[in-house]
Amino acid sequence: MASPVPVLEPATWGGALLVTAIVIPVAAALLGVVAGGRRPAWIGLAALPLGLVVTIAIATGVASDGGLVYRLGGWAPPLGVALRADGLSAVMLVLAAGVVTAIGVYAWSDVRIAGGVPEQRAPYAFWILLLGVWAGLNTVFLAGDLFTLYVALEILTFAAVPLVCLEGTPETVQAALRYLLFALVGSVLYLGGVTLLYGAYGTLDVVLLAQRVTATPAGLVAAALMTVGLLAKTALVPLHLWLPPAHAGAPPAGSALLSALVVKGSFFIVVRLWFDVMPSLATVAATQLVSALGAAAVLLGSLVALRQERLKLLIAYSTLAQIGYLFLMFTLAFDVDAAAMQRGGALAGGMLQAMSHAAAKAAMFMAAGAIYAALGHDRIADLAGAGRRVPGAVAAFALGGVALVGLPPGGAYLAKELLLRAAADTGQWWWAVVIQAGGAFTAAYLVLVLARVFRPATATPTDAAQADRMAPRGVAWSQQAAALALAASSLSLGLIDWSPWLPVAPGSRLTASLADTIAASAWPLAAGAGLAVLIGRWTPSRAPTSAAAVLAPLRHAGGALGTGACRIDGSLRRWPVAGLSLLALAIVLGIALSARP
């Protein structure tokens, strides 16, 4: 079982690796800025595998030693700053390096400078920003104090925002400004909480704060402010006004980076706060509130995803739902008897879900980009024939969706088993219902898309479709291979023994029999097909039958439900509503944290 790094442990033999993991992307980004032209792409491609090797070495060191520590300047906290890697850090470092490497391979053919042109703004900026996001993520995963986490979070935000508006159109600039402004509000709340903690306890070191924080007014207000600020950056419902337009405007590689990794940075800090810094400040009311927001995100995001007409927006709203899925672990990890958050199966399940989602969702966004390039559009109703044009991309989308549904041998399947076990152990059956429903909804929009993709291409497409397909672009096999590799990785995470890094029993991996595997696969797909027919934008290809007549009232009700969810989503994504939601959530969470027996 993974254990936290001992208090004020001296620098370890592998501590230098922690610095190297941050230096590599920072140095590559700076070198790319100076080199200019086409060189940032070459520099980025050279740095990515090197960084992946370093993160694997860190994970190996954590597995053997229990943790790695590096004291900057040789000074121990609280005077100095320490970088620390535990099991959670190690797996997220490797995940980030692997996903960024795959995105880099995809972007090599997708975001490139045209022939005969010495330099172009968008490709040049993309590679610098990609390295900047990677540097920010590595710092988030390794930072040992709350102010360094703040700095890393800002690096991550300011590198991610320009990815939204690389095309430079008014719509993408507006989406980027919306993202920036709301993210800055979240940063202000987080920094306000950091200030309160420093004033009350005289240190920001994670290990030292864990020993000193108590349920004082300053600690409770800081916990509420920091948590809500991070939820705004993570785009948890109802604080998600920036996420759909950001994905709609970003290039496929940028969307993959935003969905797979950028939102995981703020999520990881929430995990650090609740499990490492202030586990004893959590209450039943607070954990139930956070998980209730997650459940609302699962329902709202899934319903709105089923009503989308564009593939990219469908994946964006499914990201909204999957973000909610991550927060279900908080109430399951709370020990009522100890009145504190506990590292156990629920935490392991949540982190496994985060890793599975990162790999699968990056694959799905890259696959959507390849489909768009091949067909000239991403309208779901006109995806017929995509399987022939880009079979690798379609396979990646399908495998990524299967992994997110939670089918064996995916990491999401093992994550779901751990979360369901935690729900049973704590007697919270209602969260088990939400967990199972999340898999069924994911299957619904997977079925909805694949049913269109595998239809034969029509001989007489609509005028709009014909116009879109007049000049489709070719799709390199390297792009499809990168997406396939990530999807396959997500689908194989359940086969790994995670006990050296995550708080699970040794040998915890997929061991289901063939019968159990078939049963676990059949019912979510069947339920998802039903939800797709009843709620999705499903146009029958044949004349109405008696069965269609029977289903008509149900489909009408399902369509009304989906339309209502879209209206609620539209209301929540208005600035006044989002601002009031942010304020109300901070107040309610503060009250919930104060509600102690």
Side-chain angles (χ1 to χ4, degrees):
M1 179 179 296
S3 59
V5 177
V7 176
L8 298 182
E9 180 184 0
T12 55
W13 65 270
L17 290 173
L18 308 185
V19 179
T20 306
I22 298 174
V23 167
I24 287 175
V26 170
L30 294 176
L31 186 59
V33 170
V34 174
R38 301 173 182 271
R39 298 179 186 89
W42 287 103
I43 294 170
L45 282 180
L48 293 176
L50 179 60
L52 180 59
V53 170
V54 170
T55 59
I56 292 173
I58 291 173
T60 303
V62 169
S64 61
D65 295 350
L68 300 177
V69 178
Y70 183 85
R71 296 177 179 177
L72 298 180
W75 291 86
L79 295 178
V81 174
L83 299 179
R84 296 187 179 94
D86 60 0
L88 302 186
S89 302
V91 295
M92 294 303 290
L93 283 169
V94 176
L95 169 76
V99 172
V100 169
T101 299
I103 291 174
V105 172
Y106 179 92
W108 176 254
S109 298
D110 187 56
V111 186
R112 60 190 309 171
I113 298 174
V117 179
E119 182 175 293
Q120 286 180 309
R121 177 187 58 82
Y124 169 79
F126 173 83
W127 288 97
I128 304 301
L129 295 171
L130 175 69
L131 293 167
V133 167
W134 188 23
L137 283 167
N138 285 356
T139 309
V140 165
F141 299 145
L142 295 174
D145 69 279
L146 297 185
F147 186 75
T148 304
L149 282 171
Y150 168 75
V151 173
L153 199 59
E154 294 311 285
I155 293 173
L156 187 59
T157 298
F158 284 104
V161 167
L163 288 172
V164 176
C165 57
L166 281 179
E167 293 183 3
T169 62
E171 294 79 10
T172 59
V173 172
Q174 183 181 28
L177 287 175
R178 175 183 291 250
Y179 178 17
L180 176 62
L181 291 175
F182 207 64
L184 288 178
V185 172
S187 298
V188 169
L189 293 179
Y190 178 86
L191 188 58
V194 170
T195 304
L196 286 174
L197 289 178
Y198 187 75
Y201 303 108
T203 183
L204 294 177
D205 184 76
V206 169
V207 172
L208 294 178
L209 271 177
Q211 300 173 340
R212 302 179 186 182
V213 170
T214 57
T216 60
L220 295 176
V221 172
L225 290 177
M226 296 170 75
T227 300
V228 173
L230 293 168
L231 295 186
K233 287 179 172 287
T234 311
L236 180 65
V237 167
L239 310 177
H240 66 288
L241 88 163
W242 63 267
L243 189 142
H247 281 302
S255 291
L257 198 61
L258 288 170
S259 178
L261 295 177
V262 171
V263 296
K264 301 300 187 303
S266 49
F267 168 75
F268 185 83
I269 300 177
V270 176
V271 173
R272 273 277 182 254
L273 287 177
W274 283 59
F275 286 88
D276 293 339
V277 179
M278 47 188 73
S280 61
L281 296 192
T283 63
V284 173
T287 55
Q288 292 283 333
L289 172 62
V290 171
S291 293
L293 294 177
V298 170
L299 179 62
L300 182 67
S302 299
L303 289 174
V304 179
L306 287 170
R307 301 299 297 174
Q308 295 305 303
E309 297 179 353
R310 290 183 53 202
L311 181 59
K312 197 174 183 184
L313 278 175
L314 181 149
I315 304 173
Y317 275 102
S318 76
T319 296
L320 187 66
Q322 295 293 329
I323 288 172
Y325 209 96
L326 300 179
F327 285 89
L328 298 180
M329 75 173 182
F330 284 86
T331 189
L332 301 177
F334 182 73
D335 189 323
V336 177
D337 295 329
M341 305 295 291
Q342 298 293 327
R343 286 181 168 235
L347 174 60
M351 297 306 296
L352 270 172
Q353 180 66 28
M355 290 186 285
S356 300
H357 172 264
K361 194 52 62 76
M364 294 174 78
F365 268 115
M366 291 192 289
I371 291 171
Y372 186 99
L375 300 182
H377 70 90
D378 68 343
R379 290 189 306 276
I380 298 173
D382 296 320
L383 291 182
R388 282 190 172 185
R389 295 201 183 191
V390 277
V394 171
F397 183 90
L399 289 177
V402 166
L404 288 180
V405 170
L407 303 187
Y413 175 80
L414 182 56
K416 185 164 70 173
E417 288 298 304
L418 291 169
L419 292 173
L420 289 174
R421 194 177 307 162
D425 292 342
T426 57
Q428 302 182 74
W429 58 267
W430 52 93
W431 298 118
V433 173
V434 176
I435 292 167
Q436 298 287 23
F441 273 116
T442 304
Y445 39 79
L446 176 64
V447 170
L448 190 68
V449 172
L450 294 183
R452 264 74 167 194
V453 166
F454 290 115
R455 282 182 181 176
T458 56
T460 56
T462 63
D463 292 340
Q466 183 66 49
D468 280 332
R469 292 171 181 167
M470 287 179 63
R473 294 186 289 119
V475 178
W477 266 104
S478 60
Q479 294 178 274
Q480 300 182 63
L484 265 174
L486 282 181
S489 298
S490 181
L491 199 55
S492 62
L493 290 179
L495 300 175
I496 299 174
D497 179 8
W498 294 101
S499 58
W501 303 281
L502 298 180
V504 293
S508 295
R509 68 180 78 188
L510 182 63
T511 57
S513 65
L514 179 60
D516 291 338
T517 300
I518 294 174
S521 305
W523 84 262
L525 294 176
L531 290 171
V533 171
L534 296 178
I535 302 175
R537 294 181 180 274
W538 192 279
T539 304
S541 57
R542 299 179 181 178
T545 62
S546 56
V550 171
L551 287 175
L554 295 176
R555 293 192 69 244
H556 179 74
L561 180 63
T563 302
C566 291
R567 290 175 179 171
I568 294 173
D569 170 69
S571 298
L572 291 175
R573 290 194 295 107
R574 294 178 180 175
W575 274 106
V577 177
L580 289 174
S581 298
L582 193 71
L583 177 62
L585 186 55
I587 294 172
V588 173
L589 183 58
I591 295 172
L593 288 169
S594 303
R596 299 182 176 277

